[in-house]
Amino acid sequence: MKENVNFNEKFKALGEYYSIESPLEVRNFLEENSGIFVLLDEVKPYLKEYFSDEEYCLEMVYDPECEDLTHLVLRIYVSSERFHNGVHEDIENIRLNLRPLRKEYKVLSEFAIRAGVLNV
């Protein structure tokens, strides 16, 4: 039961840093892929470094042709100008820094970081 309480606390804490689309779906996915919690903690300093004034959202992405290709996306919403000028290089730097943890916690295709354009 204690493990479940820890999960509940971890999930609740996500909402303090990230907005969460479809929280129930994200929660169910994280119950099966708990290693993602480590990545979501470890990514925070990089988000502050590269995207300190941006919005961060967790959302589920589904491949309609293959049920097994469901994954959680950390979407970083930036201005249209930033989207077209350097955002992808910054995200690639974050991915490179997280790569050892992805392997250690066996979180490969289950988690992705992508940019989105902030609607103003």
Side-chain angles (χ1 to χ4, degrees), residues 19-51:
S19 63
I20 302 174
E21 280 192 23
S22 304
L24 184 58
E25 292 176 37
V26 170
R27 179 185 174 83
N28 290 340
F29 188 77
L30 287 172
E31 284 179 329
E32 296 177 18
N33 299 278
S34 61
I36 294 174
F37 278 113
V38 174
L39 296 176
L40 292 172
D41 259 354
E42 292 293 325
V43 76
K44 289 178 183 178
Y46 300 111
L47 293 175
K48 287 179 185 175
E49 178 180 347
Y50 293 105
F51 303 102

Side-chain angles (χ1 to χ4, degrees), residues 50-51 81-92:
Y50 293 105
F51 303 102
E81 180 181 333
R82 176 90 193 271
F83 186 83
H84 297 291
N85 295 295
V87 73
H88 300 292
E89 291 85 0
D90 291 341
I91 288 176
E92 187 57 30

Side-chain angles (χ1 to χ4, degrees), residues 5-117:
V5 170
N6 287 338
F7 176 87
N8 290 335
E9 290 171 1
K10 287 180 187 179
F11 185 76
K12 183 177 179 181
L14 290 178
E16 296 171 11
Y17 199 80
Y18 305 100
S19 63
I20 302 174
E21 280 192 23
S22 304
L24 184 58
E25 292 176 37
V26 170
R27 179 185 174 83
N28 290 340
F29 188 77
L30 287 172
E31 284 179 329
E32 296 177 18
N33 299 278
S34 61
I36 294 174
F37 278 113
V38 174
L39 296 176
L40 292 172
D41 259 354
E42 292 293 325
V43 76
K44 289 178 183 178
Y46 300 111
L47 293 175
K48 287 179 185 175
E49 178 180 347
Y50 293 105
F51 303 102
S52 62
D53 296 326
E54 311 301 349
E55 294 181 24
Y56 321 119
C57 181
L58 299 176
E59 56 191 56
M60 297 303 303
V61 175
Y62 301 94
D63 183 340
E65 295 179 13
C66 183
E67 286 183 32
D68 294 338
L69 293 181
T70 300
H71 57 278
L72 181 68
V73 170
L74 166 55
R75 182 103 40 209
I76 303 167
Y77 285 100
V78 299
S79 68
S80 179
E81 180 181 333
R82 176 90 193 271
F83 186 83
H84 297 291
N85 295 295
V87 73
H88 300 292
E89 291 85 0
D90 291 341
I91 288 176
E92 187 57 30
N93 286 332
I94 293 172
R95 287 180 184 144
L96 289 173
N97 285 305
L98 292 179
R99 188 171 288 157
L101 287 172
R102 291 174 73 94
K103 290 180 182 178
E104 180 180 343
Y105 289 92
K106 296 176 178 52
V107 177
L108 303 172
S109 64
E110 298 86 1
F111 177 68
I113 303 171
R114 297 193 182 132
V117 176

